[in-house]
Amino acid sequence: MTQNWGMTIPFYDRSLAQSQELIAELPALGYTDVWSSEVNGADGFTPLALAAQWAPGVRLGSAIVPVSTRGPALLAMSAATLADLAPERFVLGIGSSSPAIVERWNAVEFVKPYARTRDTLRFLRAALAGEKVSQAYETFEIKGFKLERAPKVPPKIVLAALRPRMLRLAAEEADGAITNWLSPDDVRTVRAEIGPDTELIARLFVCVNEDADQVRETARWMLASYLTVPAYAAFHDWLGRAEVLRPLHEAWAAGDRQAALRAIPDEVVDALVVHGDAATCRARIQKYVDNGLDTPILAPIPGGEVSITQAVRDLAPVKEDR
C-alpha cells in the first residue's frame, strides 16, 4: 500500500507496560514505523526506547516533542540516546505545541512559537552533529554545550507544521513535516507547500466500527478539543473550513460545550476521522497515500465491538496477504 505504515504507541486502551506484546507483533503485521506522542500521557521518548528493544527493525519517531517544555540541551541528550539505541532508525519530531500544554501544564512561557521551533531545529542540527554550540538565537542563547557522546549518525529531524510558514521551514531546513487532523483532500493542499521531495507524515485517527453515529459521538469530543486550539483553528481556516466551523468556535468561546459538540457537522467528522469496517478504513487510508501522504501513523481509537488489538491487526498493510 505504501512504503511506510506507522502505528501510534502506546495504545489508547492500555498502559505502556501492557503494550509490549502488541508492539512486538507490529513488524510481523507489516508496520514499518512506531510513533509516540506527548500530551498528558506517556512522554515522547520512553515508549520509543522500549520499542527499540521490543520491535527491532521498525523506525521510531516522536510526534511530537514540544520545543518549549525541555531545554535545548536536554532535547539533544534525549535524541542522542535514542539515536544510539536505534542507529539510523530514530526520527526526532519536534513542534511548537500549544499554550495549554506549554503554559498551563508546564509553567513555561509560550512565545514566538515559529521562531522557537526554528531556533531549536538549528541548535539540534549542530549539537547532534557533535559540534560545540555557543550561539545566540532569537529565542534563547546557548553557551558552550557539547554532547558527551554524539550519535555516529545524527537522527533525522521533522517538524510539526500546519500552515505555510512552518511547512516551508520543514521543507527547507528539516527532514520532513508532521501534520494532523486533515482529510485526504487536505493532503494535496499541504503537499503543495512542501513540494514532492519532503517526507509528509500524519497521524490518522481510525475507529474500526460500522456504527457511524457512535463513532461521531466519540469523535466530536476529540475534534472539539483540538479544533478550538488556536493553531488548529487557523489550520482549518486555511484549509477552507472557517465558515463551517464558526458555530463550533462561537459556542466554545461562550462556554457552551454541548452546543459546541452539536455544531460540528457530520461531514467534518467523516472527513477527519477514518471509520467503518476494516476494509473501508484501509481504503480510506490509501486515499491519503494516493494524495501524497508518505507516512500514515494510525491511531486506533476505541469504539464498538472491535478491540484495539483486533483493529491493529485488521488495519495492517499485509492483512490481505496473511
Side-chain angles (χ1 to χ4, degrees):
M1 298 172 80
T2 181
Q3 182 177 353
N4 300 329
W5 203 257
M7 177 55 62
T8 298
I9 61 168
F11 306 101
Y12 276 94
D13 64 339
R14 70 200 70 182
S15 70
L16 178 58
Q18 297 168 325
S19 296
Q20 179 176 355
E21 184 176 348
L22 189 52
I23 289 174
E25 190 178 342
L26 293 176
L29 290 170
Y31 290 97
T32 62
D33 292 46
V34 296
W35 290 76
S36 63
S37 62
E38 187 168 282
V39 182
N40 61 347
D43 72 273
F45 291 112
T46 305
L48 302 180
L50 290 170
Q53 309 305 310
W54 292 346
V58 299
R59 187 168 68 152
L60 313 165
S62 59
I64 52 90
V65 173
V67 296
S68 297
T69 54
R70 293 174 178 81
L74 181 56
L75 264 177
M77 288 185 283
S78 297
T81 302
L82 261 296
D84 181 59
L85 283 173
E88 300 187 62
R89 291 195 291 122
F90 170 59
V91 180
L92 175 62
I94 58 173
S96 61
S97 192
S98 70
I101 293 172
V102 174
E103 292 189 334
R104 284 184 252 163
W105 299 353
N106 284 283
V108 179
E109 229 182 341
F110 185 78
V111 293
K112 297 184 176 180
Y114 172 84
R116 177 76 182 209
T117 303
R118 179 204 61 210
D119 293 348
T120 302
L121 169 64
R122 292 175 178 175
F123 163 76
L124 289 169
R125 283 288 198 212
L128 291 169
E131 299 176 17
K132 183 175 182 179
V133 183
S134 292
Q135 178 73 42
Y137 300 91
E138 181 181 345
T139 57
F140 56 82
E141 183 174 0
I142 303 296
K143 298 179 180 180
F145 175 77
K146 188 176 189 298
L147 281 168
E148 180 179 293
R149 188 184 299 274
K152 292 181 179 179
V153 179
K156 291 184 176 181
I157 305 174
V158 296
L159 299 185
L162 298 177
R163 285 180 289 162
R165 193 180 183 202
M166 195 74 85
L167 286 165
R168 288 194 291 269
L169 177 65
E172 292 166 5
E173 298 193 33
D175 298 299
I178 305 173
T179 189
N180 196 8
W181 290 116
L182 78 171
S183 73
D185 289 341
D186 295 334
V187 171
R188 292 194 179 99
T189 303
V190 173
R191 172 59 72 187
E193 294 294 330
I194 62 175
D197 300 323
T198 299
E199 182 178 3
L200 181 58
I201 303 155
R203 176 166 280 117
L204 307 180
F205 293 91
V206 185
C207 189
V208 181
N209 185 349
E210 296 181 61
D211 186 337
D213 290 337
Q214 186 181 59
V215 174
R216 290 168 185 151
E217 182 178 357
T218 299
R220 279 188 170 89
W221 283 102
M222 299 176 66
L223 285 166
S225 68
Y226 270 90
L227 300 187
T228 52
V229 173
Y232 280 96
F235 179 45
H236 284 274
D237 286 353
W238 175 60
L239 292 173
R241 297 192 178 92
E243 289 306 314
V244 74
L245 292 177
R246 188 181 303 279
L248 160 67
H249 295 301
E250 290 175 349
W252 193 268
D256 191 338
R257 298 296 187 256
Q258 291 300 322
L261 294 173
R262 292 193 299 270
I264 304 174
D266 286 351
E267 57 266 28
V268 170
V269 179
D270 296 345
L272 304 181
V273 177
V274 177
H275 62 92
D277 62 24
T280 299
C281 290
R282 288 199 306 274
R284 179 76 169 175
I285 295 163
Q286 185 63 43
K287 287 185 179 180
Y288 283 89
V289 175
D290 293 343
N291 288 351
L293 180 63
D294 296 303
T295 304
I297 308 170
L298 310 189
I301 56 179
E305 298 178 356
V306 179
S307 68
I308 293 292
T309 297
Q310 191 60 48
V312 168
R313 292 169 178 164
D314 288 347
L315 294 169
V318 298
K319 172 65 178 176
E320 295 177 350
D321 298 330
R322 296 201 308 273

